[in-house]
Amino acid sequence: MLGYSPQKLLNCGQDYSNSRTFWLLLTSLWQNKPALEVIQYALLLEQGKFGLDAQEAFHFACFRHEITKKYPVSISYYERLLKAAMDTAEKHGHGYLDELVEEYCQLKAKGQTSVHQLQEARLGWGFKTFVYAPKVDGLSSIQEFSGRELSLDFVRKCLKNSFTQATGTAKFGLLSLHVSKNMLEGSTGCHEWEAGLKLGEFVLSDTNLVRERCCLELGCGAGALAVCVLRAGARHVICTDGDAGALENCRQNIERNVSELLASQAPTRPRIEYQQLRWEDGWHGDASPSVVLGADLLYDPGVIPSLVEILRSALSPKGRLAVERRPFALIATTVRNDSTVESFVTRAVQRGLRVEEVASPAGKEDVEFVDVPMLQNPLARIVVHRIESQDLP
Ligand SMILES: C[S@@+](CC[C@H](N)C(=O)[O-])C[C@H]1O[C@@H](n2cnc3c(N)ncnc32)[C@H](O)[C@@H]1O
């Protein structure tokens, strides 16, 4: 029995809950992949046709699946999806599914869908939802399980563990982020960035990195990494960002994703703090973090000096007991320009920090965000640096 109500698609007597293609339809929709890619998976469910069965599956994924209803994609993305669906049905010469036509008309007339009636939709904002799970046999994507017994098992496990719990666990889970599609609104922190997901995979794969520790995140943005760090068992997480809007959005995303953890009465319930912090102002907090985290902070070379200084102060031995575990930072960077990364490393070493590039975390049960193309693309370089103070013994 699956962990969510297995919705029979009655029109065609099909139950897609075990279908790998339906899974891909769902995850591509949740990740806001191009509309035609989403439609493509619906077509595959009906042997290449966009007849009523395929449209029914598409409608179910877009408007009736419990996760889509809880975390709706933005209205502008729905517009693209519905337009692509109407065009495809017309091109294929099939009739339209009534429910899809209704959604389309409602969107055109009132600027909302049945899903948005349930929630207040902020213009330009919507959810992106990612699923993470362990790699099995070193295979990197659920797509590669095609045709194997393992695939259904894997899907079942993901569904059971992700969709029945609001929080997920360190190994299986769902991460839903409220993000803005409008790059002009707010800072870069109102979007998700692959380096944050990559570092999230890193800590979920090797939870010892953060378990029971006090973690300080610099430039936390929408909160993807902070959610992973909390699920991996951190004791105290201090989320910081220079942008107040991004920080508030991060707070809301954390509350959505780890609500059960935060409501728990257990003594292990983590403490979370939010602080507006510009790197230029340095770290003067009371807490001595044992782990400092940051993802995609190096997109502007101008920030390097202040970033290095704040790392120095956050990792400094000042006030720490000799018996404490050696504090370290993990900084993940999408390499857009080699020289920016080189300048950062050079500056950090000059200022007394030890920097090491760490490729992948220890532990054989690597956790990955499923079907996120950039994380699986060997040409897209995301490096993770482990940084320590040289002043500590
Ligand atoms: C590219 S985003 C990355 C966000 C997040 N770490 C992630 O991986 O999704 C960079 C973040 O750093 C923050 N930021 C940029 N410059 C900053 C500064 N000088 N001081 C503090 N935060 C800054 C931005 O507000 C933004 O949230």
Side-chain angles (χ1 to χ4, degrees):
M1 170 74 182
L2 289 175
Y4 75 105
S5 47
Q7 313 255 0
K8 291 255 176 200
L9 298 176
L10 293 174
N11 281 2
C12 47
Q14 286 257 30
D15 176 3
Y16 288 131
S17 51
N18 280 341
S19 155
R20 186 179 65 87
T21 308
F22 186 67
W23 164 270
L24 290 168
L25 166 55
L26 271 179
T27 54
S28 55
L29 165 81
W30 292 345
Q31 285 185 37
N32 298 201
K33 287 187 180 173
L36 284 177
E37 188 177 329
V38 180
I39 304 262
Q40 204 56 39
Y41 291 123
L43 288 169
L44 286 175
L45 289 169
E46 205 186 326
Q47 292 81 45
K49 290 190 287 182
F50 199 54
L52 294 184
D53 290 350
Q55 290 183 51
E56 168 64 24
F58 177 77
H59 180 266
F60 174 57
C62 289
F63 300 103
R64 286 166 18 234
H65 192 283
E66 58 189 278
I67 298 298
T68 322
K69 284 200 298 198
K70 190 164 178 197
Y71 301 113
V73 298
S74 69
I75 289 180
S76 55
Y77 184 52
Y78 266 122
E79 261 172 3
R80 290 200 295 282
L81 286 169
L82 285 169
K83 171 91 176 56
M86 292 297 150
D87 290 350
T88 309
E90 193 178 324
K91 205 166 86 195
H92 283 234
H94 301 300
Y96 302 115
L97 184 78
D98 288 348
E99 291 84 347
L100 273 185
V101 177
E102 270 167 36
E103 293 288 357
Y104 191 59
C105 294
Q106 181 168 284
L107 191 62
K108 285 283 159 207
K110 297 190 193 150
Q112 62 176 13
T113 68
S114 59
V115 171
H116 294 104
Q117 282 169 355
L118 306 173
Q119 309 212 4
E120 193 194 337
R122 208 168 135 194
L123 210 62
W125 287 73
F127 283 93
K128 283 195 184 178
T129 296
F130 301 88
V131 178
Y132 61 83
K135 281 184 200 166
V136 181
D137 292 346
L139 292 178
S140 63
S141 155
I142 196 166
Q143 281 160 316
E144 298 178 70
F145 297 130
S146 168
R148 294 184 182 206
E149 260 315 285
L150 196 58
S151 74
L152 295 185
D153 231 34
F154 184 83
V155 171
R156 239 182 239 124
K157 232 175 180 173
C158 290
L159 292 173
K160 186 159 185 287
N161 285 280
S162 309
F163 302 165
T164 52
Q165 301 173 11
T167 60
T169 65
K171 297 299 174 204
F172 289 93
L174 204 69
L175 170 68
S176 287
L177 298 172
H178 201 221
V179 291
S180 166
K181 304 283 260 184
N182 181 359
M183 289 298 257
L184 300 176
E185 182 175 355
S187 76
T188 51
C190 293
H191 317 271
E192 84 294 350
W193 297 89
E194 283 85 353
L197 297 179
K198 176 78 184 170
L199 199 47
E201 287 182 348
F202 214 77
V203 296
L204 291 168
S205 298
D206 186 2
T207 53
N208 284 332
L209 289 167
V210 297
R211 182 170 293 283
E212 297 294 318
R213 295 194 183 216
C214 169
C215 301
L216 166 69
E217 186 179 355
L218 301 174
C220 59
L225 176 56
V227 170
C228 297
V229 168
L230 284 160
R231 294 219 180 122
R235 173 177 51 82
H236 181 183
V237 177
I238 309 165
C239 297
T240 72
D241 201 287
D243 184 84
L247 196 61
E248 171 57 19
N249 187 43
C250 169
R251 189 185 63 73
Q252 291 179 14
N253 278 330
I254 288 182
E255 283 178 4
R256 279 182 193 107
N257 281 276
V258 295
S259 53
E260 287 179 7
L261 200 60
L262 299 182
S264 125
Q265 296 298 319
T268 49
R269 184 177 67 170
R271 187 171 151 210
I272 310 185
E273 284 178 69
Y274 301 92
Q275 277 186 33
Q276 188 173 2
L277 174 72
R278 283 164 32 90
W279 309 327
E280 296 77 358
D281 299 335
W283 171 246
H284 306 289
D286 296 335
S288 294
S290 48
V291 187
V292 181
L293 297 153
D296 213 343
L297 308 182
L298 284 177
Y299 53 95
D300 169 9
V303 301
I304 291 174
S306 53
L307 195 54
V308 168
E309 290 315 304
I310 199 165
L311 283 171
R312 280 187 80 220
S313 51
L315 294 172
S316 96
K318 191 171 38 118
R320 293 180 194 272
L321 301 174
V323 291
E324 270 182 324
R325 287 186 288 192
R326 177 187 275 270
F328 60 90
L330 290 173
I331 305 294
T333 306
T334 297
V335 184
R336 302 183 179 94
N337 185 337
D338 281 314
S339 69
T340 306
V341 181
E342 278 162 26
S343 308
F344 170 68
V345 173
T346 306
R347 176 87 181 195
V349 172
Q350 280 169 354
R351 298 293 293 146
L353 296 171
R354 191 176 296 139
V355 184
E356 183 195 356
E357 192 175 316
V358 276
S360 71
K364 47 185 165 37
E365 203 180 25
D366 281 359
V367 172
E368 68 160 7
F369 280 97
V370 179
D371 291 317
V372 179
M374 187 162 160
L375 298 181
Q376 289 155 7
N377 177 0
L379 299 176
R381 275 181 62 211
I382 301 177
V383 294
V384 179
H385 288 106
R386 183 180 168 115
I387 302 174
E388 293 178 6
S389 168
Q390 292 193 9
D391 298 337
L392 282 169

